[in-house]
Amino acid sequence: MHLYGTQAISEDGHLTIGQVDTLELAKEYGTPLFVYDTALIRKRARDFIDTFKKLGVKAEVAYASKAFACVAVYQLAAEENLSLDVVSGGELFTALKAGFPAERIHFHGNNKSIAELELAFDSKIGCIVVDNFYEIQLLKEISERRQQRMRILLRVTPGVEAHTHDFITTGQADSKFGFDLNNGQADEAFQQTFNHEYLELLGLHCHIGSQIFDTAGFGLAGEKLIDKISDWHKAHDFTCTVLNLGGGFGIRYTEEDAPLEPQVYVEDMITVVKNKAIVLGLTMPEIWIEPGRSLVGDAGTSLYTIGSQKTVPDVRKYVAVDGGMSDNIRPALYEAKYEAVIASKANAPKSETYTVAGKLCESGDKLIIDAKLQEAASGDVLAIFCTGAYGYSMASNYNRVPRPAVVFAENGKHQLAIKRESYEDIVQNDLPLTLKKGE
């Protein structure tokens, strides 16, 4: 069985996280429950940051917090000297509530509202990643009215798309994000922002995909961006101070996945950018990256309690748990695959094959199809690995199911990071009917 971070199996065969027994966590906080190995998050952050330092390259490592956002994880990110990537007013508000340094916050999004942009200006955040011409006009109007400067990056689509082991160089023009690098849009965006009185253009940003297991796509994208920067330098004497190559670094969900270590992604990225800059006679820009899943994905484990079981003769065996697509929609949405273990029997052989079903009223609510597990019994705690990214952040109240609690565990201690929702929480914004029949 593959264990992640500080996960271990105790002498009595129980799965532990951060030196804390998962059965104790399930008993104290209830299930479903997200448990985060904060020591693993810290290690991953340091692996990225320290690699830049070792190679003497100025950089910012920004946590792409759409993967999982809450006050406590933002505070942890601040402790580890990460910057922060937010994609909504809600994420920005949460970061500010957490006391995250505003100057290290970068604001993304393809349709930022005026209210969100005003909040960004009010908060004096570090950078806005500009996505389209409409946003350029809004930023000009807001900055000129307020007579307030704002640092910006232009998000571009470089015509490179990478997923897992493959990357392609066509087809990304049709994206809701960014200015196309190849059809003149990026050049027009540059013209509209370069030398503006209040908008300080730092450079370019791109994001080429997710769950990427090699570095070729990042290298190709970096070269394309440096070529464009060279064109602008020659024509307009523009100096690019920041090149943001985004995120998408892969993690291991199952034995089929073979991700690289954080250091490898960073080292290869730097080599490509540095060599290209030297060839073109450019100053080496500061490199920004945006790991999200690779910081928190395999640091998160979901705990469930097994309830009913069902055997369909000659077809499959089902075990049902007390959560499902309301706290992890990825299997239903993306056919995402996971591995699991019965937490009290982690040393026992995986002698059975079950399909793990959720409790939601949907036939497609299956968390794992044909999971190899120990023999299951009602009341057992099931641990599903690598649910730390896009589990809680995409959770819903479908079927009016309360969202789970979130716990952090480290060095034998644990703390509640997000309280479990109650039924009262679910109805708190509901209003009674006031329209009378027939009136």
Side-chain angles (χ1 to χ4, degrees):
M1 183 175 66
H2 187 90
L3 297 174
Y4 300 85
T6 66
Q7 288 179 345
I9 301 173
S10 65
E11 290 182 358
D12 52 5
H14 294 186
L15 176 69
T16 67
I17 300 172
Q19 302 168 37
V20 180
D21 192 321
T22 54
L23 296 187
E24 293 179 10
L25 293 173
K27 182 178 179 180
E28 179 165 347
Y29 299 104
T31 57
L33 180 68
F34 285 96
V35 182
Y36 279 86
D37 178 356
T38 49
L40 181 54
I41 299 174
R42 295 182 193 278
K43 180 184 183 302
R44 288 281 165 70
R46 292 168 189 173
D47 285 344
F48 281 116
I49 292 172
D50 290 348
T51 304
F52 283 110
K53 287 181 179 178
K54 182 183 74 174
L55 297 173
V57 174
K58 224 180 155 186
E60 284 193 38
V61 179
Y63 170 46
S65 65
K66 68 176 184 173
F68 170 59
C70 70
V71 166
V73 81
Y74 283 159
Q75 291 172 337
L76 188 154
E79 284 184 1
E80 295 303 324
N81 298 310
L82 293 168
S83 295
L84 195 63
D85 160 3
V86 300
V87 298
S88 71
E91 287 183 359
L92 176 55
F93 181 85
T94 305
L96 297 170
K97 193 80 172 175
F100 196 94
E103 67 274 12
R104 300 212 310 261
I105 298 176
H106 313 155
F107 196 177
H108 285 257
N110 71 303
N111 191 28
K112 305 177 190 73
S113 69
I114 294 173
E116 288 174 323
L117 293 173
E118 294 278 6
L119 178 59
F121 276 85
D122 288 343
S123 310
K124 297 181 172 60
I125 69 167
C127 180
I128 292 177
V129 182
V130 182
D131 204 272
N132 51 67
F133 293 110
Y134 171 70
E135 187 177 340
I136 290 176
Q137 291 308 117
L138 290 181
L139 287 172
K140 285 183 175 181
E141 292 168 9
I142 293 170
S143 64
E144 289 167 7
R145 170 170 47 80
R146 300 168 67 113
Q147 297 186 350
Q148 180 181 344
R149 293 181 64 79
M150 178 59 71
R151 303 197 310 166
I152 64 170
L153 291 173
L154 298 179
R155 176 166 181 171
V156 298
T157 52
V160 178
E161 187 173 7
H163 292 280
T164 61
H165 296 289
D166 302 315
F167 71 91
I168 57 176
T169 57
T170 59
Q172 209 190 4
D174 185 10
S175 170
K176 77 172 188 176
F177 296 108
F179 303 97
D180 193 284
L181 203 62
N182 303 309
N183 69 2
Q185 286 188 341
D187 293 309
E188 177 61 27
F190 172 83
Q191 293 285 355
Q192 291 189 22
T193 54
F194 181 53
N195 282 337
H196 184 268
E197 185 178 5
Y198 295 108
L199 301 180
E200 181 184 352
L201 178 59
L202 303 180
L204 295 179
H205 168 280
C206 73
H207 179 74
I208 61 171
S210 60
Q211 270 296 87
I212 301 169
F213 292 161
D214 61 36
T215 61
F218 292 109
L220 185 56
E223 288 185 344
K224 285 175 171 280
L225 267 60
I226 290 285
D227 281 337
K228 181 55 67 178
I229 289 163
S230 177
D231 292 344
W232 294 343
H233 178 71
K234 291 173 184 175
H236 306 283
D237 198 28
F238 169 68
T239 298
C240 172
T241 57
V242 172
L243 188 66
N244 190 329
L245 293 176
F249 316 116
I251 68 167
R252 182 195 186 280
Y253 284 101
T254 70
E255 62 184 1
E256 299 171 2
D257 299 327
L260 302 173
E261 291 297 318
Q263 300 91 319
V264 177
Y265 290 108
V266 171
E267 289 170 357
D268 283 15
M269 218 179 267
I270 289 172
T271 298
V272 169
V273 173
K274 185 178 286 186
N275 290 344
K276 189 74 172 178
I278 290 171
V279 168
L280 295 173
L282 299 172
T283 302
M284 176 71 179
E286 188 170 328
I287 304 297
W288 291 4
I289 60 172
E290 297 165 346
R293 186 198 316 262
S294 56
L295 286 175
V296 299
D298 54 6
T301 302
S302 293
L303 303 182
Y304 301 95
T305 299
I306 293 174
S308 65
Q309 298 189 40
K310 175 182 178 179
T311 298
V312 182
D314 301 321
V315 180
R316 73 176 70 246
K317 294 180 180 178
Y318 287 94
V319 293
V321 296
D322 53 355
M325 63 189 296
S326 55
D327 58 74
N328 187 358
I329 199 171
R330 294 186 70 252
L333 195 60
Y334 305 127
E335 298 183 347
K337 296 180 181 179
Y338 293 90
E339 294 175 343
V341 66
I342 294 179
S344 63
K345 306 171 184 176
N347 268 338
K350 292 186 173 183
S351 58
E352 301 291 333
T353 300
Y354 299 101
T355 287
V356 180
K359 67 174 290 174
L360 284 298
C361 194
E362 290 287 341
S363 296
D365 181 26
K366 301 180 182 75
L367 293 173
I368 308 178
I369 296 174
D370 295 336
K372 296 293 185 183
L373 290 172
Q374 297 82 2
E375 186 174 356
S378 298
D380 281 343
V381 173
L382 180 73
I384 297 185
F385 301 131
C386 301
T387 59
Y390 309 108
Y392 191 90
S393 66
M394 298 178 79
S396 73
N397 293 129
Y398 184 53
N399 290 179
R400 291 251 140 166
V401 172
R403 279 175 285 203
V406 177
V407 169
F408 288 179
E410 186 172 355
N411 293 325
K413 299 180 180 179
H414 49 90
Q415 71 143 101
L416 193 62
I418 303 177
K419 294 189 295 184
R420 182 179 308 281
E421 285 184 334
S422 67
Y423 291 144
E424 286 296 330
D425 292 328
I426 290 176
V427 300
Q428 66 179 334
N429 294 319
D430 289 10
L431 298 173
L433 177 67
T434 57
L435 295 173
K436 301 303 180 182
K437 186 177 180 180
E439 290 185 3

